[in-house]
């Protein structure tokens, strides 16, 4: 389970015990839409993945498969992952 507060600010994204937030922007946007939130989460001690995808040129299924592959390949060892999505994200 994920602890309610996370105080260690120096943990790297590859550390399994660091809570990680995956940000997924909405339709016709880019990861810049989530930049401020990503910055605030990093300051609060979370590992952050600001996922980027080009919404207009692939299907939702294609984007979902890319995200799933990334999560399985890069974040499988994480003990706690939060996903924050907006709109189509």
């Amino acid at each position: 389970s994920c602890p309610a507060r996370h105080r260690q600010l120096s943990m790297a994204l590859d550390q399994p015990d660091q809570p990680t937030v995956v940000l997924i922007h909405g339709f016709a946007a880019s990861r810049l839409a989530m930049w401020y939130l990503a910055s605030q989460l990093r300051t609060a001690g979370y590992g952050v993945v600001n996922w980027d995808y080009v919404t207009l040129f692939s299907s939702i299924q294609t984007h979902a498969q890319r995200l799933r592959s990334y999560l399985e390949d890069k974040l499988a060892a994480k003990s706690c992952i939060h996903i924050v999505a907006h709109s189509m994200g």
Side-chain angles (χ1 to χ4, degrees):
S1 71
C2 301
R5 292 273 308 173
H6 311 288
R7 297 174 192 261
Q8 294 185 359
L9 302 180
S10 61
M11 297 175 81
L13 186 59
D14 61 352
Q15 293 181 328
D17 292 336
Q18 181 189 27
T20 298
V21 179
V22 178
L23 301 175
I24 307 170
H25 65 78
F27 182 74
S30 74
R31 65 186 184 157
L32 291 176
M34 298 291 213
W35 174 85
Y36 183 77
L37 180 56
S39 167
Q40 295 299 302
L41 288 166
R42 283 186 189 102
T43 298
Y46 290 88
V48 176
V49 174
N50 194 354
W51 181 256
D52 203 12
Y53 63 106
V54 181
T55 62
L56 302 175
F57 298 109
S58 294
S59 68
I60 291 174
Q61 291 80 9
T62 299
H63 296 309
Q65 183 55 47
R66 279 188 57 237
L67 177 61
R68 180 180 180 169
S69 293
Y70 179 85
L71 294 173
E72 290 174 347
D73 293 345
K74 305 293 184 190
L75 300 180
K78 291 298 217 171
S79 62
C80 183
I81 298 173
H82 305 278
I83 296 178
V84 176
H86 177 260
S87 179
M88 191 171 91

